[in-house]
Amino acid sequence: MHDDRSITEHRLRRVLQERIKPAVHSRPVPLTVERWQAPDEPVPGADGLAATYEPCAIGDAWGPAWGTTWFKVTGTVPAQWAGRTVEAVLDLGFDRMMPGFQCEGLVHRADGSEIKALNPYNDWVRVADRAEGGEQVHWYVEAASNPVLVDHVPTYEGDRWTSGDQPLYRLARMDLTVFEAEVWELVQDLEVLYGLMTQLHTEDARRYEILRALESALDDLDLTDVPGTAAAARERLAGVLRAPAHASAHRISAVGHAHIDSAWLWPLRETVRKVSRTASNVVDLMDRHPEFVFAMSQAQQLDWIKTHRPGLFERVKKKIVDGQFVPVGGMWVESDTNMVGGEAMVRQFLYGKKFFLDEFGIETHNVWLPDSFGYTAAMPQIVKLSGSRWFLTQKICWSQVNAFPHHTFWWEGIDGSRVFTHFPPVDTYNSDLGGAQMAHAARNYRDKGRGSRSLVPFGWGDGGGGPTREHLARARRQRDLEGSPRVEIERPDAFFEKAHAEYEDAPVWAGELYLELHRGTYTSQAKTKQGNRRSESLLREAELWATAAAVRLPGFAYPFEDLERIWKTVLLHQFHDILPGSSIAWVHREARETYARVREELQGITLAAQRALAGEGAEELVFNCAPHARRGVPAGGAGRPAEPGRPVTVEERRGGGYVLANGRLRVEIDGRGLIVRAYDLEGRRESIAPGAAANLLQIHPDHPNMWDAWDVDEFYRHRVTDLVDLDRLELAESGPVSVTVRVTRSFGASKAVQSVTLRAGAKTVDIVTEVDWHETEKFLKAAFPLDVKAERTASETQFGHVFRATHTNTSWEAAKFEICAHRWIHAQEPGWGVALLNDSTYGHDVTRDVRADGGQTTTIRLSLLRAPRYPDPETDQGHHTLRYCLAPGAEIADAVREGHALNLPERTLTGAAPVAPLLVVDNEAVVVESVKLAEDQGGDVVVRLYESLGGRATATLTADFPITAAVESDLLERPLEGSAVAAPAADGTVQLALRPFQILTVRLHRA
């Protein structure tokens, strides 16, 4: 037989697009349309309904960037349509290829209740299932004219203050139509079979059976009367659609989904509306399709619906009770996981799961993070302690170099905890359930022969929209179809139960799930990152001192509601396109403003508690919030600081510069203002490599191949400029307590002023770098070439640290050319090491070289600033203050202590007498992460600790208040079985035993 495949396939594509799809909605009757342009920001629905409308016509331009236009549509169903299914088609001017990234609408009834949303793949609204004729249409469409910002080119449309005011869209269609159900079903038949056929091998007989059936169907279709001949065409397809799947066919659990970025190419306020639009579509679809199941992951988004659309929220709650609308994930938002602090990650689960329990009585069991940019190795333990059992991710398929070896596996964290994990082989979290994607999922699944099933999240996402009736039609047809995987719509937990049962001995992946892409997100939008780090620290302070005051001072009110509200604000801004710096200018401008308000409010809470604890008096007291004693002031207490130790001396260095010494360190700054020696007098070791210079600012060109704010590509290293030209070198401070050398440099259009300080008694060199940054597409680094032969470095992560190789033996190590660390990174050879500490920098890189003298130089660099132009063309422009420290001779324990000290500065007040710590732990390896009152407001004190060095530890916890019991709890403060906490002794002490990197939450019942 002649091969005419391409002819038939081309024929099908053209007929489907030009004749069959347009025939789905027949006999169009124009609706009457009027419009009202809302001023400035969106208005409440009642205001939109009460506005004065003006006439509007199809083809009219509407919608300046970020504007809201209300359309009133009215009409009457023709009498001759009695008995027919009637739908309105409301096309706002959609680009059919970009759901979620352009104009969208929400349709209201005249009473303000929501009907459903409009988007490019969902532009219809049902008027009557079986019309009587004469039905009145009287609707209002709240239309958002969001600019399209997906082209990866610099644009000022990403902020309402800088965007244009010209209309972006033209009204395309507002019609009443007859919905031709048989034509619609034919479209679904053809698309499913065509998609399946093109995935089958050209030698597979099934491919040709489908081809001939499609050809026969097209032959029977009269293109001048598609509605009248659709049934006959469908009959030609019935046989191939009835053929059952192979017994060994891959099994797909399809879960309705709408990945909605809580901010990205739109601001937070627009996400509030996107969430409502998607939820309205979902519940409308559920009303018509009881088999439909939809998973929604972010508690914050459901809380927005509750706050802004209470009527819709009640509909959602009913569907949750019915089992169709399924909360998943258990987190407040789908956060970044690389940069979020340990306690903040706990609160993501605490407040997320608490919301689901309080509102719906549901305990979520899976963690749903399809789109975050890599996953911390601390996550498995946090997942387990939250009461969750399973983890789902999708983004790891974006890695550029190494294909991840598993799709279903056990993920092992730094403490040894394991969580059953699935990585859907469909390679998208926005599946259309088409034949091509289903075939890809089956082919791509890496665990064949051991596992047989995978999960597919389906529905339009990123900017929302969710599943459509077309998706459900594809699922029905592929439930049991020869040549296709078996597709079944079901709840995520049902998938995980089945996958876990059949593949309990799945392979183990230990350590972080590093994404080999989007490494620039550790650095972009430095002020957003700084705001996050400082907010986390301020929350720790506020909770600690408020707890101490509430326990010790009758009548002091612990600010439960304020702290929860602030925590949720900080958690929202940890969303995986806000904290990573990959959102539009509007988002980051608002983030900076929000962090300023958070700072002011938390400082007020802290100050009120500290004043209450200190009492009235003139004695100067230093409050130490850090988990370790410093300057003689105990952790979590306040008192008089001890004498600083040997005074700092300074002398001029031969050849230019200065020599600073304090009996513990000797630091030489040369005439270029660079640190050329940092000698550990106690360890008798030099930390700077011979002939090298530290605190060297370096600048690189930074023009990644695609994702500007997201990526740094390895080739940025091919060109580097050392910033050694000097404007000024001066001694800024010289005294027995501290000496500061100030270095000023100009480069490009920017300027950097660095203050290098050595303090009396200190084992760190403190550096403050102030940069007036006005570069474009540049990458600023601070280099520290260390005289250390380190095979690996340790980087702080949540509740511990991870080791990473310094070599590039394999492609896996080579791909980690940019890494994330929290407060410190540490390089060590046996017996001696160096730590580099920071107050708000996350991006780092580590390289090693062998010198001519045979020694090895391990160079650690901090990634200070970037200047990508998309999606925010002014990223990081302006003034920045960045603090970091060099700690020669540091062990990991020193890095832990000094990292906390840098990020939790002392506060000085006058008061009556020193304030004793509320809690004392006698082993410095066991770090107190947080102290708070219990969420149930019963008065118990909750303390969260962790083992910080990677070894076993025992410790005694002593409370400075009477306790009756100490109970190990999960992250939701519920008792855990098999406690590592002993009952309190007669003296009130509690004995603790911790595994390496174990997180321990202890609830202390007060007497």
Side-chain angles (χ1 to χ4, degrees):
M1 183 179 291
H2 300 297
D3 186 354
D4 61 349
R5 284 180 296 119
S6 63
I7 295 173
T8 301
E9 290 170 8
H10 187 98
R11 177 190 179 193
L12 172 61
R13 290 194 298 269
R14 183 178 183 190
V15 169
L16 189 60
Q17 191 65 33
E18 295 183 8
R19 299 299 178 90
I20 305 176
K21 285 186 176 182
V24 169
H25 288 101
S26 67
R27 310 182 194 182
V29 174
L31 288 158
T32 300
V33 185
E34 299 169 86
R35 63 183 285 180
W36 174 69
Q37 181 65 43
D40 197 27
E41 285 296 276
V43 300
D47 293 357
L49 270 59
T52 301
Y53 285 75
E54 298 177 350
C56 178
I58 300 303
D60 283 0
W62 69 277
W66 308 115
T68 300
T69 304
W70 285 75
F71 295 100
K72 180 163 69 173
V73 294
T74 55
T76 303
V77 175
Q80 60 268 34
W81 290 2
R84 305 300 299 266
T85 299
V86 178
E87 289 184 349
V89 177
L90 308 177
D91 186 342
L92 300 175
F94 298 125
D95 180 333
R96 299 290 169 176
M97 301 305 293
M98 290 189 296
F101 294 97
Q102 52 177 300
C103 60
E104 301 172 60
L106 181 60
V107 184
H108 303 256
R109 299 180 183 89
D111 64 4
S113 60
E114 306 86 3
I115 302 176
K116 67 184 293 288
L118 304 173
N119 63 55
Y121 291 137
N122 209 333
D123 62 358
W124 58 272
V125 182
R126 181 63 58 89
V127 176
D129 293 335
R130 187 177 178 84
E132 296 179 358
E135 290 92 339
Q136 297 296 307
V137 171
H138 185 173
W139 296 334
Y140 295 82
V141 180
E142 179 188 5
S145 50
N146 301 327
V148 177
L149 303 175
V150 297
D151 291 335
H152 289 269
V153 295
T155 175
Y156 286 90
E157 293 289 291
D159 195 329
R160 65 190 181 114
W161 300 124
T162 57
S163 57
D165 58 4
Q166 297 301 308
L168 300 178
Y169 300 99
R170 288 188 179 276
L171 204 60
R173 183 180 183 186
M174 294 275 178
D175 291 335
L176 281 176
T177 69
V178 170
F179 175 68
E180 304 287 356
E182 198 70 18
V183 178
W184 184 85
E185 295 286 359
L186 176 60
V187 171
Q188 314 317 311
D189 293 344
L190 294 171
E191 289 192 333
V192 165
L193 288 171
Y194 176 75
L196 170 61
M197 179 185 69
T198 58
Q199 298 303 308
L200 298 174
H201 196 277
T202 55
E203 296 178 358
D204 190 331
R206 172 68 168 164
R207 177 165 183 150
Y208 293 92
E209 289 176 0
I210 296 173
L211 181 73
R212 296 307 163 205
L214 291 171
E215 185 177 46
S216 296
L218 293 176
D219 289 344
D220 279 6
L221 190 70
D222 183 350
L223 298 187
T224 65
D225 183 18
V226 172
T229 55
R234 292 193 68 206
E235 183 60 32
R236 294 290 188 176
L237 303 174
V240 289
L241 284 168
R242 281 195 299 265
H246 300 303
S248 60
H250 185 69
R251 296 180 180 273
I252 286 174
S253 297
V255 179
H257 183 48
H259 176 69
I260 306 177
D261 288 305
S262 288
W264 179 27
L265 302 180
W266 46 85
L268 287 167
R269 68 90 156 140
E270 190 56 30
T271 315
V272 173
R273 301 203 294 175
K274 283 177 173 287
V275 168
S276 294
R277 289 191 287 257
T278 296
S280 70
N281 272 350
V282 165
V283 295
D284 180 76
L285 201 58
M286 288 174 178
D287 287 341
R288 304 175 188 284
H289 299 276
E291 81 280 9
F292 173 43
V293 171
F294 177 81
M296 192 167 185
S297 66
Q298 303 183 65
Q300 171 68 87
Q301 296 187 355
L302 284 160
D303 192 40
W304 279 333
I305 299 175
K306 178 185 177 183
T307 301
H308 297 278
R309 299 282 180 181
L312 178 59
F313 187 68
E314 290 304 313
R315 295 173 66 194
V316 167
K317 287 180 71 171
K318 182 182 183 302
K319 295 301 182 182
I320 289 174
V321 172
D322 294 344
Q324 287 184 272
F325 198 117
V326 185
V328 293
M331 296 175 72
W332 190 247
V333 296
E334 289 183 12
S335 75
D336 170 77
T337 79
N338 290 310
M339 293 170 283
V340 172
E343 187 61 24
M345 189 65 77
V346 167
R347 303 304 174 96
Q348 288 284 355
F349 286 94
L350 170 61
Y351 291 120
K353 296 196 74 165
K354 185 173 180 289
F355 181 88
F356 294 144
L357 283 164
D358 291 347
E359 294 293 337
F360 315 123
I362 288 177
E363 171 95 16
T364 55
H365 295 294
N366 52 68
V367 178
W368 188 279
L369 285 178
D371 192 35
S372 299
F373 308 149
Y375 304 91
T376 169
M379 185 63 85
Q381 182 179 194
I382 297 171
V383 169
K384 288 192 70 174
L385 288 174
S386 76
S388 300
R389 299 173 56 193
W390 305 303
F391 186 87
L392 179 138
T393 175
Q394 183 70 73
K395 196 70 170 189
I396 212 73
C397 71
W398 286 43
S399 285
Q400 288 177 309
V401 180
N402 298 285
F404 196 77
H406 317 296
H407 282 111
T408 302
F409 59 99
W410 288 96
W411 181 21
E412 181 179 306
I414 56 175
D415 73 309
S417 295
R418 291 180 178 177
V419 59
F420 191 76
T421 300
H422 183 62
F423 159 35
V426 70
D427 286 345
T428 179
Y429 44 76
N430 296 326
S431 175
D432 62 8
L433 286 188
Q437 289 184 358
M438 298 305 93
H440 174 77
R443 283 196 306 267
N444 192 41
Y445 182 62
R446 292 178 176 271
D447 299 282
K448 297 181 184 75
R450 304 295 299 279
S452 65
R453 60 183 68 244
S454 65
L455 185 148
V456 172
F458 70 92
W460 305 114
D462 289 321
T468 66
R469 58 188 179 186
E470 288 77 16
H471 294 143
L472 302 184
R474 292 166 193 165
R476 287 194 298 272
R477 285 160 174 79
Q478 294 175 99
R479 183 180 178 88
D480 189 14
L481 180 62
E482 183 185 351
S484 168
R486 285 188 170 89
V487 178
E488 181 176 4
I489 294 176
E490 59 182 349
R491 296 164 60 93
D493 283 7
F495 161 77
F496 275 106
E497 291 282 8
K498 295 172 186 176
H500 192 173
E502 81 165 359
Y503 202 14
E504 193 169 359
D505 61 343
V508 176
W509 180 271
E512 65 185 325
L513 296 175
Y514 179 91
L515 179 64
E516 296 170 358
L517 196 73
H518 293 0
R519 305 168 186 89
T521 59
Y522 311 149
T523 305
S524 296
Q525 297 288 358
K527 288 185 178 177
T528 298
K529 292 169 171 56
Q530 193 168 71
N532 174 73
R533 178 80 69 86
R534 292 181 179 174
S535 296
E536 290 178 346
S537 297
L538 287 166
L539 278 160
R540 173 196 175 100
E541 285 190 85
E543 288 186 334
L544 171 64
W545 301 122
T547 302
V551 169
R552 287 178 170 153
L553 304 173
F556 185 93
Y558 187 86
F560 285 102
E561 293 182 2
D562 290 338
L563 287 170
E564 179 172 337
R565 172 177 49 79
I566 296 169
W567 262 118
K568 288 177 177 177
T569 298
V570 173
L571 299 180
L572 168 59
H573 286 79
Q574 292 173 341
F575 179 75
H576 64 253
D577 275 308
I578 302 179
L579 179 54
S582 48
S583 289
I584 56 174
W586 189 342
V587 173
H588 292 288
R589 171 175 57 79
E590 287 191 331
R592 294 190 294 271
E593 296 165 357
T594 298
Y595 285 131
R597 291 193 297 270
V598 165
R599 180 177 67 248
E600 183 176 354
E601 190 167 3
L602 288 174
Q603 286 175 339
I605 292 172
T606 297
L607 184 58
Q610 290 175 335
R611 282 177 172 161
L613 289 164
E616 296 295 331
E619 184 173 356
E620 186 172 85
L621 302 175
V622 171
F623 282 77
N624 175 23
C625 181
H628 307 92
R630 56 183 172 186
R631 294 207 296 155
V633 179
R640 296 178 294 274
E643 292 297 320
R646 289 182 57 176
V648 188
T649 62
V650 60
E651 59 187 52
E652 292 189 2
R653 178 178 178 273
R654 181 179 299 177
Y658 300 92
V659 180
L660 288 56
N662 67 356
R664 304 189 73 188
L665 294 178
R666 179 182 175 88
V667 179
E668 294 190 20
I669 300 169
D670 71 4
R672 301 170 297 172
L674 302 175
I675 300 173
V676 291
R677 295 197 71 187
Y679 190 78
D680 176 8
L681 293 166
E682 295 170 343
R684 292 189 280 185
R685 277 285 303 263
E686 175 57 58
S687 57
I688 309 302
N695 195 32
L696 171 64
L697 296 178
Q698 296 179 305
I699 197 163
H700 298 267
D702 183 19
H703 191 256
N705 283 342
M706 182 172 179
W707 300 89
D708 288 12
W710 293 258
D711 285 351
V712 289
D713 288 331
E714 192 275 339
F715 54 76
Y716 86 87
R717 293 180 174 180
H718 298 177
R719 290 180 56 198
V720 60
T721 301
D722 293 344
L723 303 180
V724 295
D725 292 342
L726 192 64
D727 293 349
R728 188 174 184 183
L729 177 65
E730 59 186 324
L731 193 62
E733 179 186 0
S734 178
V737 176
S738 65
V739 173
T740 299
V741 175
R742 183 176 296 134
V743 184
T744 304
R745 307 181 193 281
S746 297
F747 56 94
S750 304
K751 183 177 182 178
V753 179
Q754 294 189 289
S755 298
V756 182
T757 300
L758 184 64
R759 293 175 287 109
K763 198 71 183 291
T764 62
V765 183
D766 300 341
I767 300 162
V768 177
T769 297
E770 296 187 68
V771 185
D772 189 19
W773 180 247
H774 297 285
E775 303 306 303
T776 298
E777 296 176 336
K778 296 290 191 297
F779 197 6
L780 184 66
K781 294 260 187 177
F784 290 81
L786 306 175
D787 190 12
V788 176
K789 185 181 187 301
E791 298 300 313
R792 62 184 186 177
T793 56
S795 297
E796 189 190 35
T797 191
Q798 300 90 346
F799 302 108
H801 54 266
V802 292
F803 291 108
R804 298 185 180 99
T806 59
H807 61 73
T808 55
N809 282 1
T810 72
S811 58
W812 293 89
E813 283 104 12
K816 295 180 181 180
F817 59 80
E818 185 80 5
I819 56 175
C820 183
H822 283 211
R823 287 169 287 216
W824 53 266
I825 184 168
H826 183 265
Q828 184 173 17
E829 59 188 49
W832 196 83
V834 179
L836 193 59
L837 320 157
N838 73 83
D839 81 334
S840 58
T841 296
Y842 295 93
H844 297 74
D845 73 273
V846 180
T847 54
R848 67 177 189 174
D849 298 285
V850 176
R851 306 187 298 267
D853 65 3
Q856 180 177 304
T857 299
T858 300
T859 300
I860 299 176
R861 298 196 303 168
L862 294 131
S863 302
L864 301 182
L865 295 169
R866 298 185 65 219
R869 302 199 63 211
Y870 177 82
D872 176 6
E874 300 292 330
T875 301
D876 283 333
Q877 300 299 296
H879 186 268
H880 299 268
T881 301
L882 305 161
R883 294 176 174 85
Y884 42 94
C885 304
L886 179 69
E891 300 289 335
I892 286 181
D894 300 313
V896 173
R897 182 181 62 254
E898 297 295 343
H900 278 99
L902 176 61
N903 283 268
L904 298 166
E906 302 165 338
R907 297 187 185 274
T908 302
L909 271 74
T910 57
V915 179
L918 190 65
L919 301 159
V920 174
V921 178
D922 67 352
N923 184 344
E924 284 209 342
V926 179
V927 173
V928 175
E929 178 73 5
S930 68
V931 179
K932 62 188 288 290
L933 289 190
E935 292 292 317
D936 62 12
Q937 302 188 26
D940 291 348
V941 173
V942 174
V943 55
R944 196 160 2 262
L945 318 95
Y946 69 99
E947 195 290 316
S948 64
L949 305 183
R952 292 186 179 272
T954 58
T956 300
L957 171 66
T958 303
D960 191 36
F961 55 93
I963 59 175
T964 60
V967 179
E968 183 179 358
S969 304
D970 67 6
L971 302 185
L972 275 67
E973 302 172 5
R974 304 172 297 194
L976 280 176
E977 296 181 1
S979 177
V981 180
D987 61 358
T989 58
V990 180
Q991 300 302 313
L992 311 175
L994 288 87
R995 303 184 310 273
F997 296 133
Q998 181 182 359
I999 303 166
L1000 188 61
T1001 302
V1002 183
R1003 183 166 179 153
L1004 302 174
H1005 298 296
R1006 293 161 58 193

